[in-house]
Amino acid sequence: MNLKKSAIAAAIVGACVSSLANSKTLVWEDNFDGDSIDKSVWTYDVGNSGWGNNELQTYTDDTANAYVEDGNLIIQALQNDDGSFTSARLKSLGRMTYKYGTIEARIKLPDLDAGLWPAFWQLGGDYGQVGWPACGELDILEAGMAEALSAGTVNSEVSGAFHWWHESDDYTGQADYGQSKNLVDDFGSSTDLTEDYHIFGMTWTPDSIVMWVDDEANEVISIGSDDPAFDEFRQHHFLILNLAVGGIFPEIYANSEITAPMPAKMYVDYVRIYDNDDSSYSTEIALAEDTAKNGDVGVFSEGSNLSESLQLGTDTEMYVWNQNSMTATVSAEAAEGDEALEFDITAGEWFGMGFWMHYDLNLMNYENGHLNFKMKTTSSQTIGIGISSTGSGDAWVDLVDGDDTYGLERDGEWHQVSIPLSKLGVDFNTISQAFMIRGDAASEDFVLAIDDIYFSESVEKTAPTGVFSLYTETTEANSTFTLGTDGNLYIWGDTLLEATQTPFEGEESLSYYSSGAGWFGMAFTADSYYDLSAFDNDSAALNFALKTSSDTTFKIGMKSGSVSDIGQQWIEFTSGSDPYDFARDGEWHQVSIPVSDFSSEVDMSNVIQLFELLGVDGDISDIEIDDIYFSGGSSDSDNSDNCRPRSHKCHSHQKKHKHRHGGCTPPAQCAQSPRRN
């Protein structure tokens, strides 16, 4: 969305584009007619990085910022009590891409004066491999520009733009070309951007691209794109819809300078893609299910079990990141087949390697599966195993000497290692590095060999009904989460220390005080995803006993899905206004949170963190929790004879690092590589 009009870029665009044919056939649409955003099409960008444009808002996946209502997708910017802003940015990355055709979105914008920056745009599908601007960017709608703010026309001025990496005899480098038009003055519209819906469209062919408003005759900007320098615009693109606050486009960089009325709502009635009915080309639509892999997919394997094997040089490349410390050779001493990879690691420097993908590998069917490989070494060095995705970055599991959780022993023999992919929280639709190894500087040289690397598909999820217990000794349950078998209880970043227990029921409780980190957190994290759909009803509840005498604010949460900060919901407990009749009197109180208070954000069919505690506003002097269970899980065949009391609690509390993005919202993979007390 960075609009930087370049004289060089302007000189190389086509001077005019031929008139467009009106005949076209609808091939894809999202009319937002349901009761929620279609997650098979849209995912989110989240965070407050500024997005390369010095934007002010924090993007979230909260239903307060993006939701469906009355046949519209509504993207809503909100201002918090401290003056900060939240909003939403939706993208179809890894879910839907297209190439060529006519695209339209019917949109009504909020009052943009001053500082709002709405956009409907798209990026090339190879964004994860080549980055920006080499992937190409097409901005079909942008509004809120500084020039229009100064002229008092911001609510009627629209912009279209192109960004790409241009290579030719005349110029090599970043190229940007944009133009703006006024709906009222240039196109004779009777309404501005805020008074009514307008259709923002683009007609995209192998030879030209035209962006327009309401009618193809209302051209905002166009280029002739038949030159090889425009290859970025001859590939599949994914869509983005967002409402930014501040940044380089409105040239506003302080919260206090945002004067646009809040809340601000961007209404999207539909997005539609048409084939242009041209015999020389056709529109291509690619949905996630079209590119999804199935079966055992090999990364470096000759196994007979494989349904498909990635090919070096075609699908993937292997890179050693630090050749000063890591040397790769092919060994004939394979665990299977004829070849294995052997790495000589030199002491004194970090080491690392990865299998980089030529395209985003779609492993949407593997989120609850396993990463499998054979490894041998005699080193006691901690070895990180990871994967990376375009949509959400990388994730790692540490193989620690003395902990054979995943199967590795340090005896110089081949061992089968199997890591649940639930421990590697990434966007599985967009895997950009299929396998990675890393480690800190070793104290002595060692050899590491690896072979038979492959992914196995998702296993069936556990789907409890009736009463599902997490931590109780007396509540009768239809099914039980067994610590050490089904998952574990993790303390994040050593932020909580065990205190004297005064159980609400039974013989044990979870009793803590802060270690002084300034924040604290813990979670019951499953080893594989749970399907809690039976509890997605108006009668189900998350029940627990709670007591504290501290005034520190804390949150109770649940987390679904594999991507950090997406699919998570927190219920805040604040002294003086605690919910659910909880009192901070140092006595036990039973709390029942309706599951519906979580399910607006949490995908109950895909839960990984079943119960979370988080505090980010300082330390807590005392907090004790007990008798945790879900109730009200509907089933067509609940059988009371299956009810049984939990026989014991596990008190081997596992500890993990705090969340890498600021230490506030723990990711789904926080439960990797546990260390027992």
Side-chain angles (χ1 to χ4, degrees):
M1 284 169 46
N2 180 11
L3 183 62
K4 186 172 66 178
K5 186 172 180 179
S6 165
I8 296 175
I12 61 177
V13 299
C16 63
V17 177
S18 60
S19 61
L20 303 165
N22 291 322
S23 174
K24 51 183 183 270
T25 301
L26 182 66
V27 292
W28 182 89
E29 64 183 337
D30 191 342
N31 292 311
F32 307 107
D33 286 336
D35 56 6
S36 62
I37 294 168
D38 186 349
K39 300 299 176 61
S40 71
V41 174
W42 305 103
T43 184
Y44 301 85
D45 279 321
V46 293
N48 59 356
S49 65
W51 306 98
N53 302 308
N54 301 118
E55 298 168 31
L56 299 174
Q57 79 292 327
T58 296
Y59 283 131
T60 82
D61 72 326
D62 293 347
T63 52
N65 293 120
Y67 57 96
V68 170
E69 183 178 84
D70 297 331
N72 285 269
L73 166 66
I74 298 175
I75 300 177
Q76 179 170 248
L78 298 168
Q79 187 166 23
N80 301 315
D81 292 340
D82 63 0
S84 63
F85 298 91
T86 61
S87 188
R89 180 156 112 172
L90 281 70
K91 58 186 180 182
S92 68
L93 174 67
R95 279 85 181 151
M96 192 284 291
T97 65
Y98 84 108
K99 176 182 174 182
Y100 301 145
T102 296
I103 187 169
E104 300 177 349
R106 186 171 183 263
I107 299 173
K108 179 182 177 183
L109 297 179
D111 185 345
L112 306 176
D113 195 4
L116 295 184
W117 180 6
F120 169 46
W121 52 301
Q122 57 188 56
L123 290 174
D126 62 353
Y127 170 74
Q129 287 67 48
V130 302
W132 184 93
C135 65
E137 175 181 336
L138 298 172
D139 298 330
I140 304 167
L141 159 68
E142 291 185 282
M145 65 282 286
E147 297 86 351
L149 285 169
S150 298
T153 59
V154 70
N155 284 328
S156 58
E157 200 85 7
V158 296
S159 169
F162 307 86
H163 306 280
W164 70 102
W165 182 261
H166 187 84
E167 294 185 7
S168 69
D169 294 337
D170 299 318
Y171 173 73
T172 295
Q174 178 181 330
D176 312 273
Y177 179 54
Q179 288 184 348
S180 63
K181 294 290 179 68
N182 189 291
L183 283 179
V184 177
D185 296 340
D186 294 322
F187 300 141
S189 175
S190 60
T191 58
D192 66 18
L193 297 167
T194 70
E195 294 172 320
D196 201 355
Y197 290 86
H198 292 273
I199 297 173
F200 301 92
M202 180 178 73
T203 304
W204 178 17
T205 81
D207 302 321
S208 66
I209 304 174
V210 181
M211 297 173 186
W212 44 269
V213 181
D214 290 329
D215 187 280
E216 289 174 302
N218 294 337
E219 179 183 309
V220 176
I221 187 173
S222 63
I223 63 171
S225 60
D226 57 349
D227 190 287
F230 296 100
D231 282 346
E232 293 92 332
F233 305 132
R234 294 190 187 88
Q235 63 163 324
H236 278 247
H237 279 225
F238 64 91
L239 306 180
I240 306 172
L241 286 158
N242 69 283
L243 178 58
V245 181
I248 63 172
F249 198 67
E251 296 182 8
I252 294 178
Y253 306 104
N255 291 342
S256 59
E257 296 178 24
I258 302 298
T259 58
M262 294 287 162
K265 296 183 180 182
M266 173 181 176
Y267 294 84
V268 184
D269 182 24
Y270 61 74
V271 180
R272 294 173 181 167
I273 298 174
Y274 300 85
D275 187 283
N276 289 333
D277 294 340
D278 189 310
S279 60
S280 64
Y281 69 94
S282 60
T283 300
E284 300 174 14
I285 302 288
L287 303 178
E289 55 264 31
D290 299 329
T291 60
K293 301 297 183 182
N294 292 281
D296 291 345
V297 174
V299 178
F300 184 88
S301 176
E302 301 168 79
S304 60
N305 59 302
L306 302 179
S307 60
E308 182 177 352
S309 186
L310 303 179
Q311 299 299 307
L312 284 169
T314 302
D315 300 304
T316 186
E317 303 286 346
M318 192 191 80
Y319 290 102
V320 173
W321 302 331
N322 186 355
Q323 297 187 14
N324 293 326
S325 63
M326 191 175 193
T327 303
T329 58
V330 176
S331 171
E333 297 181 8
E336 55 86 44
D338 298 322
E339 295 178 336
L341 289 172
E342 190 169 283
F343 300 97
D344 293 317
I345 313 296
T346 303
E349 290 192 43
W350 68 273
F351 60 92
M353 59 77 65
F355 283 87
W356 176 85
M357 294 298 303
H358 283 276
Y359 52 86
D360 283 350
L361 180 67
N362 184 350
L363 296 181
M364 61 180 287
N365 296 324
Y366 295 77
E367 183 180 59
N368 211 33
H370 289 78
L371 171 60
N372 310 280
F373 54 92
K374 292 182 173 67
M375 181 178 280
K376 69 173 179 177
T377 188
T378 58
S379 173
S380 61
Q381 178 78 18
T382 295
I383 301 166
I385 303 296
I387 57 177
S388 184
S389 76
T390 297
S392 64
D394 58 3
W396 296 87
V397 163
D398 284 339
L399 304 181
V400 180
D401 186 33
D403 182 355
D404 61 356
T405 299
Y406 304 112
L408 180 62
E409 298 181 29
R410 312 297 180 110
D411 57 5
E413 302 295 330
W414 285 111
H415 291 279
Q416 178 68 52
V417 181
S418 186
I419 299 174
L421 289 171
S422 62
K423 306 296 184 186
L424 294 163
V426 297
D427 176 16
F428 284 94
N429 290 54
T430 59
I431 298 299
S432 55
Q433 297 227 41
F435 182 84
M436 302 185 292
I437 296 175
R438 73 176 181 186
D440 295 332
S443 58
E444 58 183 11
D445 297 352
F446 70 95
V447 176
L448 176 68
I450 193 161
D451 198 3
D452 196 22
I453 309 168
Y454 69 95
F455 293 97
S456 54
E457 270 192 281
S458 294
V459 298
E460 187 176 356
K461 299 173 189 175
T462 301
T465 60
V467 175
F468 171 44
S469 70
L470 295 184
Y471 189 86
T472 180
E473 295 170 88
T474 59
T475 298
E476 291 190 344
N478 300 82
S479 56
T480 297
F481 180 83
T482 303
L483 288 166
T485 300
D486 301 320
N488 278 294
L489 168 62
Y490 293 86
I491 306 298
W492 295 327
D494 296 333
T495 56
L496 290 171
L497 302 175
E498 294 185 27
T500 302
Q501 300 176 8
T502 58
F504 171 77
E505 51 85 56
E507 298 178 354
E508 297 178 3
S509 65
L510 303 174
S511 184
Y512 302 115
Y513 65 96
S514 287
S515 64
W519 73 280
F520 55 91
M522 53 79 77
F524 284 85
T525 304
D527 286 340
S528 61
Y529 291 89
Y530 269 67
D531 183 353
L532 300 186
S533 299
F535 298 88
D536 192 4
N537 63 70
D538 293 337
S539 301
L542 170 61
N543 310 278
F544 54 95
L546 177 67
K547 76 170 180 174
T548 185
S549 58
S550 171
D551 290 335
T552 302
T553 296
F554 60 87
K555 304 173 185 180
I556 301 296
M558 293 179 65
K559 171 75 173 72
S560 64
S562 59
V563 181
S564 296
D565 301 322
I566 294 178
Q568 191 161 37
Q569 174 72 340
W570 297 101
I571 307 296
E572 186 165 281
F573 285 69
T574 302
S575 181
S577 58
D578 285 302
Y580 312 109
D581 297 322
F582 177 67
R584 297 172 181 251
D585 55 8
E587 301 296 329
W588 283 110
H589 295 274
Q590 290 179 284
V591 177
S592 290
I593 302 178
V595 170
S596 58
D597 288 359
F598 293 106
S599 60
S600 61
E601 310 291 347
V602 176
D603 178 359
M604 297 302 293
S605 71
N606 200 36
V607 179
I608 189 68
Q609 289 177 344
L610 303 165
F611 181 94
E612 302 170 299
L613 168 70
L614 176 67
V616 296
D617 296 320
D619 297 324
I620 194 163
S621 59
D622 63 285
I623 189 164
E624 197 165 1
I625 308 168
D626 202 355
D627 199 23
I628 310 170
Y629 63 95
F630 289 89
S631 63
S634 61
S635 172
D636 293 334
S637 58
D638 280 342
N639 187 349
S640 60
D641 292 337
N642 291 331
C643 294
R644 56 183 175 85
R646 182 182 176 89
S647 59
H648 68 282
K649 301 174 185 173
C650 171
H651 56 272
S652 295
H653 302 164
Q654 273 62 36
K655 301 179 180 180
K656 280 311 297 175
H657 301 294
K658 65 182 180 181
H659 184 239
R660 63 188 178 197
H661 301 298
C664 294
T665 308
Q669 67 268 28
C670 75
Q672 54 190 323
S673 302
R675 184 179 77 246
R676 296 185 182 277
N677 278 343

